Amino acid sequence: VPEREFTPYYAQIMNDIRARIASGEWPPGHQLPSTATLLDQYGERLGVRSASTVREAISRLLDSGELRGHQGLGVFVAPQP
Amino acid sequence: VPEREFTPYYAQIMNDIRARIASGEWPPGHQLPSTATLLDQYGERLGVRSASTVREAISRLLDSGELRGHQGLGVFVAPQP
DNA sequence: GACAATTTGTCCGTATGTATT
DNA sequence: CAATACATACGGACAAATTGT
């Protein structure tokens, strides 16, 4: 795992998700990988070890309206405002 | 502690803080009680038992710009936009 | 400068609840 | 009913910034 410059993990994850949305990789309505899968990925790429940290990032993006969560279903990219 | 209607603790805390700001009890620039003190208070009033839960609420209000946090100093009501 | 105390900030791991399929 | 996935809460650990001694 890379040595970390100090941007908190949750902020790095938010940046990554925002970048994917902005690039069109994850268009509006796209379903994100599950929290567990995201943890695997950000574990490899950033060194994150806990689902709580992934949740921290997603939670903030839900608050800001960039993502929409549906319990039991998944998390989706919000439609354009 | 009262039986809880289901609004999450963190949301109840956010509502309470917003109400105090709106009422003028906590005007812009006012320093909030420390996390530990807030935990005591919301422990009594709501049954909250963990500082993490208080943090959850404050964290969201920091994100939204309603509060401003300064490490080592305290958390303050943001100036009017 | 060094050190302790206080307070916010991040992260972890676990447990349990709730909604959908 | 079982499996999956998000949502909330807890409690502990440690880092970072500020203040005071």
Side-chain angles (χ1 to χ4, degrees), chain B residues 36-66:
Chain B
T37 303
L38 288 174
L39 173 57
D40 283 349
Q41 297 177 2
Y42 292 118
E44 288 259 338
R45 295 177 41 194
L46 303 175
V48 178
R49 278 174 302 150
S50 166
S52 309
T53 303
V54 175
R55 254 268 121 199
E56 177 87 16
I58 291 182
S59 208
R60 286 169 139 94
L61 295 171
L62 292 171
D63 279 6
S64 69
E66 292 161 277

Side-chain angles (χ1 to χ4, degrees), chain B residues 34-35 55 62 69-72 74:
Chain B
S34 74
T35 303
R55 254 268 121 199
L62 292 171
H70 299 282
Q71 209 164 310

